[in-house]
Amino acid sequence: EANRVLRPGGWLLMTNWDLWRGGRPKWLIRSWLLRLVGRLDLDRGDAMMPWKKTGQPTIWRYYHGFRLGELKRLCAAAGFEVESNRRVTGVRRSGEVNLVTYCRRPA
C-alpha cells in the first residue's frame, strides 16, 4: 500500500517494536506456548499483547515480531530500495527497542 500511494522517489520511514528484545520476548514466548497447546492460532513471531487503561478492561492486541532481515526482504519485495535498516535502543529511557527502516520508492 505504501508503494502505491508514494510518488516515485518518495521516502518511507517505518518503525516497529522489536518484540525479540527490550523486555517484550515474554509476550512472544507466552503466545508460542498458547499456540503449542492449541489456544491461539498464530504464526511464528506473532504475539498477543495486553493494553490496559486505568479502570478499563484489558484489550489484547495482535503484533508481529519482525526481524531486521525480514523487514529488509519485505520492503525489497514490495519494490522499495532499502537505505537504512537498523535497531534503535533506549527509546524514552524505557529500554524499549525499535526497528527503524528507511526506504525509497524508485523514481
Side-chain angles (χ1 to χ4, degrees):
E1 182 64 11
N3 199 352
R4 183 186 70 78
V5 299
L6 280 174
R7 294 180 185 154
W11 292 93
L12 171 68
L13 173 65
M14 182 170 48
T15 64
N16 296 277
W17 281 350
D18 188 348
L19 297 186
W20 301 95
R21 296 174 195 233
R24 292 208 170 88
K26 65 183 173 190
W27 297 111
L28 288 166
I29 294 166
R30 180 188 177 279
S31 295
W32 177 80
L33 290 170
L34 288 171
R35 187 177 77 224
L36 188 66
V37 297
R39 302 231 6 238
L40 277 179
D41 185 21
L42 298 173
D43 291 330
R44 181 178 181 269
D46 293 346
M48 297 300 292
M49 296 175 57
W51 181 67
K52 183 169 175 60
K53 284 180 128 179
T54 305
Q56 300 290 323
T58 299
I59 297 171
W60 289 92
R61 304 174 292 172
Y62 165 84
Y63 284 95
H64 178 72
F66 287 103
R67 294 186 178 262
L68 283 173
E70 180 183 9
L71 285 169
K72 190 173 184 177
R73 285 189 303 276
L74 287 170
C75 288
F80 287 100
E81 296 171 351
V82 178
E83 297 290 325
S84 176
N85 184 33
R86 62 193 176 102
R87 183 171 284 113
V88 177
T89 59
V91 177
R92 291 180 280 152
R93 288 188 251 160
S94 66
E96 185 175 291
V97 181
N98 287 321
L99 305 177
V100 179
T101 306
Y102 190 53
C103 38
R104 186 174 65 84
R105 181 178 171 196

